């Protein structure tokens, strides 16, 4: 009986704490809101960039970070661009060769790859 009374007391205390939701009347127009901004969504995906990132053996290549980089790649690179870029993790010289290439297709790819890298660095830290 004591346990039931203690549990009921705890539940009553927790219910009295209130707090409401973003839809409560205290958040109506003109009301004071304790609701700030939603936390940003965590980016994560799997694919060729994430696999190459993890296999590259870099110290900061965590599952979360590589998954974030893959999510950014999914938003900005085609599947073929992702496969081509994933090869850079194993062979950095191929990245250098592509960057310095006089081939117009490689130049266009490199611009996309560089933009992707900037976005990934900004979003994935």
């Amino acid at each position: 009986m004591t346990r039931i009374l203690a549990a009921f007391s705890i539940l009553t205390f927790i219910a009295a704490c209130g707090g409401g939701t973003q839809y409560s009347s205290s958040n109506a127009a003109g009301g004071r809101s304790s609701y700030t901004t939603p936390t940003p969504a965590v980016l994560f995906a799997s694919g060729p960039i994430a696999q190459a990132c993890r296999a590259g053996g870099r110290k900061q290549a965590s599952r979360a970070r590589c998954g974030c980089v893959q999510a950014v790649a999914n938003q900005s690179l085609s599947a073929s661009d992702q496969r081509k870029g994933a090869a850079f993790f194993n062979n950095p010289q191929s990245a250098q060769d592509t960057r310095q290439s006089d081939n117009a297709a490689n130049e266009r790819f490199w611009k996309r790859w560089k933009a992707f890298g900037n976005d990934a660095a900004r979003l994935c830290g």
Side-chain angles (χ1 to χ4, degrees):
M1 183 66 168
T2 308
R3 289 182 184 166
I4 294 172
L5 187 55
F8 182 76
S9 298
I10 291 171
L11 288 175
T12 303
F13 176 74
I14 291 172
C17 291
T21 68
Q22 64 180 341
Y23 303 108
S24 67
S25 60
S26 66
N27 289 333
R32 198 173 127 196
S33 172
S34 61
Y35 181 76
T36 54
T37 57
T39 55
V42 176
L43 295 173
F44 186 85
S46 59
I49 299 289
Q51 290 172 352
C53 172
R54 294 284 291 157
R58 289 180 174 81
K59 185 176 168 182
Q60 295 181 338
S62 67
R63 182 176 183 273
R65 180 166 287 158
C66 292
C68 179
V69 170
Q70 178 66 55
V72 175
N74 288 349
Q75 294 172 356
S76 58
L77 297 173
S78 69
S80 63
D81 282 353
Q82 290 182 36
R83 287 189 301 272
K84 184 173 183 171
F88 296 162
F89 287 85
N90 288 333
N91 185 1
Q93 184 59 45
S94 66
Q96 185 70 3
D97 294 343
T98 301
R99 186 180 72 83
Q100 293 179 331
S101 172
D102 289 334
N103 180 307
N106 282 344
E107 288 180 24
R108 288 189 304 272
F109 166 78
W110 192 257
K111 285 181 182 178
R112 292 188 302 272
W113 183 256
K114 187 175 178 181
F116 151 70
N118 290 334
D119 290 346
R122 182 175 45 85
L123 295 170
C124 302

